[in-house]
Amino acid sequence: MTQRDWIEKDFYRELGVTSGASADDIKKAYRKLARELHPDANPGDANAEARFKTVSEAYGVLSDEKKRREYDETRALFAGGGGYGAGGGFPGGFGGGAAGQGFDLNDLFGRAGAGSPGAGGAGGLGDILGGIFGNRGGAGTTTTGPRAQRGADVESELRIDFIDAVRGAEVQLRLSSPGRCERCGGTGARPGSTPRQCPTCGGVGLVSRSQGAFAFSEPCRDCRGTGRIIDDPCPECGGDGVSTRTRLLTVRVPAGVADGQQIRLKGQGEPGRGGAPAGDLYVKVHVSPHRLFGRSERNNDDLTLTVPVTYPEVALGSTLTVPTLDSTVSLRIPPGTSSGRTFRVRGRGVKRKSGKTGDLLVTVEVAVPSSLDDGATEALQAYAEATKSFDPRADLLGGGS
């Protein structure tokens, strides 16, 4: 896909959003469609694969602020890409010229931005239209190649175990995304054949038309502004030069990564065009919960652990054997400890590559037996009688005022 396609493709409609949608709305719409249309979720469905490629192309433009601005300006200039007005001209025409005097828009495009300070050639409108049409023909113009475009960024997701998130790991990621067609090398032509120059526009991609006193340039309809004709399209990409391919990447997950955190892999996104660098890959990490340990909300380097204890252990004091990620530690519980109290075990949390290590936060919680035998019941009743002067709800009920 080149910027020439901007005139004919409605990227907002492909993603199901309005032209005023926020960047977050565009991202949400793309991720929803990408999950529904992903080749892994629709094996053998050519229509779903084609739609997946289309929405990926649309997101590649609309997710980039600069590309989106140029796209919106281009669509506004050409009335949303629907046509060029009656007879192939621009809607509304251009006034102010003397009757019978020829007027070629190539002159306007060539002079666009000439009055701006330090302008070294076409700018503003000229830059936009030069990006759409690529090479320009006509008197007083120069022939230039297509503008380089950085590849679009790609998003993916990865789920790992809690232990791998804490210690770090290398994980294989299977990624399906649009990329240069390997079979035709991006030319769009079947291997062994080459595209030919469009005879209608002479390979420029533009044709000039006259309408009364005006002369207009517009994209060549025979080659869709590409300047070339593909007689024998590549069966892999259908002549687009881009196909959805699956590749395996090794993602190095750093120690201490948190649930929902993103890892950036530079240059692993969609390939650039015209020699421009590839985009980046952003991998969102989901961490599966551990059956014992959790992460502290206040400090993700700290681990949390809830340990059940008996009432005698907290009332009389005791020493508990507590598990850690690597082994066990002894934790001293002083007499009179209340249920829900948290103890800190230094240096038993998440260890990062920087050398920083968090702590293990152990919360003791009194476990109440579901049933008691006769002996335990009598003993508990005797204890209740012996401590009846102790009222833990005295302050709550106003007895302590």
Side-chain angles (χ1 to χ4, degrees), residues 15 17 21-35 55 59 62-63 68 153-155 157 262 282 284:
L15 294 179
V17 297
S22 65
D24 190 50
D25 290 338
I26 290 174
K27 179 183 290 188
K28 289 179 180 178
Y30 167 70
R31 293 179 65 179
K32 179 177 181 295
L33 289 172
R35 284 194 296 267
V55 298
Y59 180 70
L62 298 185
S63 62
R68 182 181 179 183
D153 293 337
V154 176
E155 291 185 343
E157 297 184 356
Q262 281 192 329
Y282 290 87
K284 187 174 184 179

Coordinates of all heavy atoms in Angstrom, one line a residue, residues 15 17 21-35 55 59 62-63 68 153-155 157 262 282 284:
L15 N -12.0 0.5 10.2 CA -11.9 0.2 11.6 C -13.2 0.4 12.3 O -13.3 0.1 13.5 CB -10.8 1.1 12.2 CG -9.4 0.9 11.8 CD1 -8.5 1.8 12.5 CD2 -9.0 -0.6 12.1
V17 N -14.8 3.3 13.0 CA -14.8 4.5 13.8 C -15.1 5.7 13.0 O -15.0 5.7 11.8 CB -13.4 4.7 14.6 CG1 -13.2 3.5 15.5 CG2 -12.3 4.8 13.6
A21 N -12.6 10.2 15.9 CA -12.3 9.2 17.0 C -10.9 9.5 17.6 O -10.0 10.0 16.9 CB -12.3 7.8 16.4
S22 N -10.8 9.3 18.9 CA -9.6 9.5 19.6 C -8.6 8.4 19.3 O -9.0 7.3 18.8 CB -9.8 9.6 21.1 OG -10.3 8.3 21.6
A23 N -7.3 8.6 19.6 CA -6.3 7.6 19.4 C -6.6 6.3 20.2 O -6.4 5.2 19.7 CB -4.9 8.2 19.8
D24 N -7.2 6.5 21.4 CA -7.5 5.4 22.2 C -8.6 4.6 21.6 O -8.6 3.3 21.6 CB -7.9 5.8 23.6 CG -8.0 4.7 24.6 OD1 -7.1 3.8 24.7 OD2 -9.0 4.6 25.3
D25 N -9.6 5.3 21.0 CA -10.8 4.6 20.4 C -10.3 3.8 19.2 O -10.8 2.7 18.9 CB -11.8 5.6 20.0 CG -12.6 6.2 21.2 OD1 -12.5 5.5 22.2 OD2 -13.1 7.3 21.1
I26 N -9.4 4.4 18.4 CA -8.8 3.7 17.2 C -8.1 2.5 17.6 O -8.2 1.4 17.0 CB -7.9 4.7 16.4 CG1 -8.8 5.8 15.8 CG2 -7.1 4.0 15.4 CD1 -8.0 6.9 15.1
K27 N -7.3 2.6 18.7 CA -6.5 1.4 19.2 C -7.5 0.3 19.6 O -7.3 -0.9 19.3 CB -5.6 1.8 20.3 CG -4.8 0.6 20.9 CD -3.9 1.1 22.0 CE -2.8 2.0 21.6 NZ -1.9 2.2 22.7
K28 N -8.5 0.7 20.4 CA -9.5 -0.3 20.9 C -10.2 -1.0 19.7 O -10.4 -2.3 19.7 CB -10.5 0.3 21.8 CG -9.9 0.7 23.1 CD -11.0 1.4 24.0 CE -10.4 1.8 25.3 NZ -11.4 2.5 26.2
A29 N -10.6 -0.2 18.7 CA -11.3 -0.8 17.5 C -10.4 -1.8 16.8 O -10.8 -2.9 16.4 CB -11.8 0.3 16.6
Y30 N -9.1 -1.4 16.6 CA -8.2 -2.2 15.9 C -7.9 -3.5 16.6 O -7.9 -4.6 16.0 CB -6.8 -1.5 15.7 CG -5.7 -2.4 15.2 CD1 -5.7 -3.0 13.9 CD2 -4.7 -2.8 16.1 CE1 -4.7 -3.8 13.5 CE2 -3.7 -3.6 15.7 CZ -3.7 -4.1 14.4 OH -2.7 -5.0 14.0
R31 N -7.7 -3.4 17.9 CA -7.4 -4.7 18.7 C -8.6 -5.6 18.7 O -8.4 -6.8 18.6 CB -7.0 -4.3 20.1 CG -5.7 -3.5 20.2 CD -5.4 -3.1 21.6 NE -5.1 -4.3 22.5 CZ -4.8 -4.3 23.7 NH1 -4.6 -3.1 24.3 NH2 -4.6 -5.3 24.4
K32 N -9.8 -5.1 18.7 CA -11.0 -5.9 18.7 C -11.1 -6.6 17.3 O -11.3 -7.9 17.3 CB -12.3 -5.1 18.9 CG -13.6 -5.9 18.9 CD -14.7 -4.9 19.2 CE -16.1 -5.7 19.1 NZ -16.4 -6.2 17.8
L33 N -10.9 -5.9 16.2 CA -11.0 -6.5 14.9 C -9.8 -7.5 14.7 O -10.0 -8.5 14.1 CB -10.9 -5.4 13.8 CG -12.2 -4.5 13.7 CD1 -12.0 -3.4 12.8 CD2 -13.4 -5.4 13.3
A34 N -8.6 -7.1 15.2 CA -7.5 -8.0 15.0 C -7.7 -9.3 15.7 O -7.3 -10.4 15.1 CB -6.2 -7.3 15.5
R35 N -8.3 -9.3 16.9 CA -8.5 -10.6 17.6 C -9.6 -11.4 16.8 O -9.4 -12.6 16.7 CB -9.0 -10.3 19.0 CG -8.0 -9.9 19.9 CD -8.5 -10.0 21.4 NE -9.5 -9.1 21.6 CZ -9.4 -7.8 22.1 NH1 -8.2 -7.4 22.4 NH2 -10.4 -7.0 22.3
V55 N -7.4 -4.0 7.9 CA -7.5 -3.3 9.1 C -6.1 -3.0 9.7 O -5.9 -1.9 10.3 CB -8.4 -4.0 10.2 CG1 -9.8 -4.2 9.7 CG2 -7.8 -5.3 10.6
Y59 N -4.8 0.8 10.5 CA -4.3 1.1 11.8 C -2.9 1.7 11.7 O -2.5 2.6 12.4 CB -4.3 -0.1 12.7 CG -3.8 0.2 14.1 CD1 -4.5 1.0 15.0 CD2 -2.6 -0.3 14.5 CE1 -4.0 1.3 16.3 CE2 -2.1 0.0 15.8 CZ -2.8 0.8 16.7 OH -2.3 1.1 17.9
L62 N -3.6 5.4 10.8 CA -4.4 6.2 11.8 C -3.7 6.2 13.2 O -4.0 7.1 14.0 CB -5.8 5.7 11.9 CG -6.6 5.7 10.6 CD1 -8.1 5.3 10.9 CD2 -6.6 7.2 10.0
S63 N -2.9 5.2 13.4 CA -2.2 5.2 14.7 C -1.0 6.2 14.8 O -0.5 6.5 15.9 CB -1.7 3.8 15.1 OG -0.8 3.3 14.2
R68 N -1.8 10.3 10.1 CA -3.2 10.5 10.1 C -3.5 11.9 9.7 O -4.5 12.2 9.0 CB -3.7 10.3 11.5 CG -5.2 10.4 11.7 CD -5.7 10.2 13.1 NE -7.1 10.4 13.2 CZ -7.8 10.3 14.4 NH1 -7.1 10.0 15.5 NH2 -9.1 10.5 14.4
D153 N 3.9 0.4 13.8 CA 4.2 -0.3 15.0 C 3.1 -1.4 15.1 O 2.0 -1.3 14.6 CB 4.1 0.6 16.2 CG 5.2 1.6 16.3 OD1 6.2 1.3 15.7 OD2 5.0 2.6 16.9
V154 N 3.5 -2.5 15.7 CA 2.6 -3.7 15.9 C 2.5 -4.0 17.4 O 3.4 -3.8 18.1 CB 3.2 -4.9 15.1 CG1 2.4 -6.2 15.4 CG2 3.3 -4.6 13.6
E155 N 1.3 -4.4 17.7 CA 1.0 -4.8 19.1 C 0.7 -6.3 19.2 O 0.1 -6.9 18.3 CB -0.2 -4.0 19.7 CG 0.1 -2.6 19.9 CD -1.1 -1.8 20.6 OE1 -2.2 -2.4 20.6 OE2 -0.9 -0.7 21.1
E157 N 0.4 -9.7 22.5 CA 0.2 -10.0 23.9 C 0.9 -11.4 24.2 O 1.0 -12.2 23.3 CB -1.3 -10.1 24.3 CG -2.0 -8.8 24.1 CD -3.4 -8.8 24.5 OE1 -3.9 -9.9 24.9 OE2 -4.1 -7.7 24.5
Q262 N 4.3 -3.3 29.2 CA 4.7 -3.5 27.7 C 6.2 -3.6 27.6 O 7.0 -2.9 28.2 CB 4.1 -2.4 26.9 CG 2.7 -2.5 26.6 CD 2.3 -1.5 25.5 OE1 2.8 -0.4 25.3 NE2 1.3 -1.9 24.7
Y282 N 5.3 -3.9 20.2 CA 5.0 -3.7 21.6 C 4.3 -5.0 22.1 O 3.2 -5.3 21.6 CB 4.2 -2.5 21.8 CG 4.9 -1.2 21.5 CD1 5.0 -0.6 20.3 CD2 5.6 -0.5 22.6 CE1 5.7 0.5 20.0 CE2 6.3 0.6 22.3 CZ 6.4 1.2 21.1 OH 7.1 2.3 20.8
K284 N 2.5 -6.8 25.2 CA 1.9 -6.6 26.5 C 1.9 -7.9 27.3 O 1.5 -8.9 26.8 CB 0.4 -6.1 26.4 CG -0.2 -5.7 27.7 CD -1.6 -5.2 27.5 CE -2.3 -4.7 28.8 NZ -3.6 -4.1 28.6

